[in-house]
Amino acid sequence: MLNYKIAIVHEWLVDHSGSEKVLEEILNVFPNSDLFAVVEFLPENLKYFVKSKKVTTSFIQKLPFAKKRYRNYLPLMPFAIEQLDVSKYDIVISNSHAVAKGVITNSNQIHICYCHSPIRYAWDLYHSYLKDAGLTNNLKGILAKIILHYIRIWDLSTINRVDYFIANSSYIAQRIYKVYKRDSVVIYPPVNTSDFELNTYKSEYYLTASRMVSYKKIDVIVEAFNRMPEKKLVVIGDGPEFNKIKRIAKDNIDLLGYQEFSVLKERMEKAKAFIFAADEDFGIMPVEAQACGTPVIYFSKGGAKETVIENVTGIPFYLQKPEAIIDSVISFEKKSNEFNSNDIHKHAKSFDKERFKVELKEFIVQKVEERFV
């Protein structure tokens, strides 16, 4: 791969969340690559993960208020991503959950897209996104619907710009086929399982941790434990729904807000079980919990269905409702002695970042050899 020029295209660089953790490991696999993004507003303490690379950005970078309100420029992003010139590169790798895969390439290049999802708010989360944003009936709502309609049209027009799709889970592979009618290979995202330590001695509290946005369903978890006052729940995370959840949480629920990693790690290692109620594309936290030897009580849909082994590393529930969580907690407690922390920890290691790097490099090398050698 040393003789090939590689461009990596990302959406927006503003924090170090799930897709950025994937980007970090892609950069570790291809350290001599060049990096492109719609915008780059990383705080100084986060720039380490892009390896001090100069990021080539789009014109949106210089628009008014872009640093804080870059998402407001979503209608311009399809045009912006097409202005990023990657024509001098042999290989283009897009790390995409929105517009990155729309970068324009030519027939002499190979474009591989690591796809976290087709644009969620334009496709399968379209109606819930509009509802949560209060954009269903008013004038702003009509405008939002028109914009998302045209983004869907643009998104479909870019499908053949990608030579090969990599999906971050089988769940997303199904979504890619549903929306784009394209096959994909599954390479699970990297999880830094070595950051977490196996702890076979568990405390008597349950844990959930997440950014507090509606689709994470933290309110549903809290309501379930409101109805189980004898059981303790610890909640870590902050976000738009924090005040709402604070209002409904009863005395058996500890809301810790945002916490440093060291606190999250300690709580996760000692928790009796980790509760996960989101319908996620993959879901890193259930894997991190398992790396601690902590069982997971999880919504059996999306990525968690692939990363948690039913009745071996966790207990599922099938509806995002308090009653379903209560039933699964009761079921878990009846068989909690059957869960082996060492086995749970070992299972989590199969999602480690080293596995991701090997699988990614092997796939890309294979496709490059098929095309160029």
Side-chain angles (χ1 to χ4, degrees):
M1 302 293 288
L2 294 177
N3 297 324
Y4 296 107
K5 298 188 70 174
I6 301 174
I8 298 173
V9 184
H10 192 71
E11 252 99 29
W12 39 81
L13 284 165
V14 296
D15 58 18
H16 191 216
S17 300
S19 64
E20 286 75 33
K21 290 177 181 178
V22 172
L23 173 65
E24 181 177 9
E25 297 310 325
I26 295 174
L27 292 171
N28 283 331
V29 174
F30 303 109
N32 296 320
S33 59
D34 291 332
L35 183 55
F36 295 77
V38 173
V39 296
E40 187 272 302
F41 294 116
L42 287 171
E44 287 299 320
N45 66 325
L46 289 181
K47 290 191 175 183
Y48 69 91
F49 84 88
V50 296
K51 320 302 177 190
S52 302
K53 288 182 179 292
K54 178 183 180 299
V55 182
T56 301
T57 57
S58 75
F59 65 88
I60 292 178
Q61 180 82 15
K62 298 181 179 180
L63 292 181
F65 312 110
K67 185 171 184 178
K68 290 187 176 180
R69 299 185 178 180
Y70 63 93
R71 291 180 186 271
N72 291 354
Y73 290 112
L74 178 64
L76 295 179
M77 287 187 185
F79 179 70
I81 204 75
E82 292 177 345
Q83 308 315 303
L84 295 177
D85 184 2
V86 295
S87 59
K88 69 180 182 180
Y89 297 90
D90 303 298
I91 304 163
V92 176
I93 303 169
S94 58
N95 185 41
S96 184
H97 58 78
V99 300
K101 77 167 181 42
V103 67
I104 294 176
T105 56
N106 61 54
S107 59
N108 295 318
Q109 298 171 294
I110 184 169
H111 178 184
I112 297 171
C113 173
Y114 190 92
C115 185
H116 299 273
S117 176
I119 307 175
R120 299 174 187 90
Y121 34 86
W123 293 104
D124 54 322
L125 294 183
Y126 170 70
H127 293 289
S128 59
Y129 165 76
L130 292 173
K131 182 179 178 181
D132 290 345
L135 297 172
T136 51
N137 297 314
N138 52 27
L139 185 60
K140 285 185 178 180
I142 294 171
L143 181 60
K145 291 174 184 178
I146 292 171
I147 290 169
L148 291 174
H149 171 74
Y150 283 103
I151 284 178
R152 280 192 294 275
I153 294 172
W154 174 84
D155 191 34
L156 290 178
S157 77
T158 67
I159 295 170
N160 291 325
R161 299 179 191 179
V162 177
D163 294 293
Y164 302 101
F165 278 98
I166 301 172
N168 74 358
S169 64
S170 296
Y171 183 54
I172 292 305
Q174 293 172 3
R175 195 181 291 174
I176 289 170
Y177 189 79
K178 168 72 174 178
V179 176
Y180 299 150
K181 294 296 184 285
R182 292 285 302 273
D183 292 326
S184 55
V185 64
V186 175
I187 298 178
Y188 291 116
V191 182
N192 201 358
T193 57
S194 59
D195 281 351
F196 298 86
E197 297 176 21
L198 171 64
N199 189 331
T200 58
Y201 300 98
K202 303 299 182 183
S203 298
E204 283 301 312
Y205 65 86
Y206 292 86
L207 173 70
T208 191
S210 172
R211 178 162 168 75
M212 292 192 181
V213 291
S214 62
Y215 82 94
K216 298 286 189 178
K217 303 297 181 184
I218 302 299
D219 57 334
V220 178
I221 298 172
V222 167
E223 182 54 41
F225 279 82
N226 280 344
R227 302 182 196 180
M228 298 185 288
E230 74 285 2
K231 303 185 193 306
K232 183 177 179 180
L233 174 69
V234 174
V235 183
I236 292 177
D238 202 352
E241 295 220 323
F242 182 84
N243 289 333
K244 168 191 169 182
I245 291 165
K246 185 177 181 180
R247 285 194 301 269
I248 66 173
K250 295 188 176 178
D251 292 342
N252 60 314
I253 298 167
D254 287 346
L255 294 178
L256 303 185
Y258 170 80
Q259 294 293 323
E260 296 293 335
F261 174 75
S262 59
V263 176
L264 171 66
K265 176 178 179 289
E266 179 186 10
R267 293 287 187 159
M268 195 172 273
E269 289 171 358
K270 294 179 180 179
K272 188 173 186 178
F274 184 81
I275 315 290
F276 187 77
D279 178 358
E280 282 278 22
D281 305 333
F282 174 73
I284 288 177
M285 283 213 172
V287 179
E288 293 175 337
Q290 290 172 90
C292 303
T294 301
V296 181
I297 298 172
Y298 63 101
F299 179 49
S300 185
K301 190 176 180 182
K305 192 175 180 180
E306 300 173 50
T307 61
V308 187
I309 304 174
E310 183 174 346
N311 296 322
V312 177
T313 69
I315 294 282
F317 56 93
Y318 300 95
L319 296 172
Q320 292 171 308
K321 293 182 179 296
E323 297 81 6
I325 295 175
I326 292 168
D327 289 345
S328 289
V329 169
I330 293 171
S331 177
F332 168 75
E333 294 200 340
K334 287 179 179 177
K335 56 178 72 173
S336 60
N337 291 334
E338 299 176 16
F339 289 93
N340 185 300
S341 292
N342 287 287
D343 291 342
I344 295 171
H345 171 77
K346 184 177 179 181
H347 170 65
K349 285 293 184 182
S350 65
F351 297 96
D352 189 71
K353 66 179 184 179
E354 296 306 318
R355 179 270 324 158
F356 170 83
K357 290 192 285 190
V358 169
E359 292 182 7
L360 179 72
K361 186 171 184 178
E362 286 180 349
F363 178 81
I364 293 178
V365 168
Q366 176 192 346
K367 297 307 178 186
V368 168
E369 288 178 348
E370 289 174 1
R371 171 69 67 87
F372 296 132
V373 178

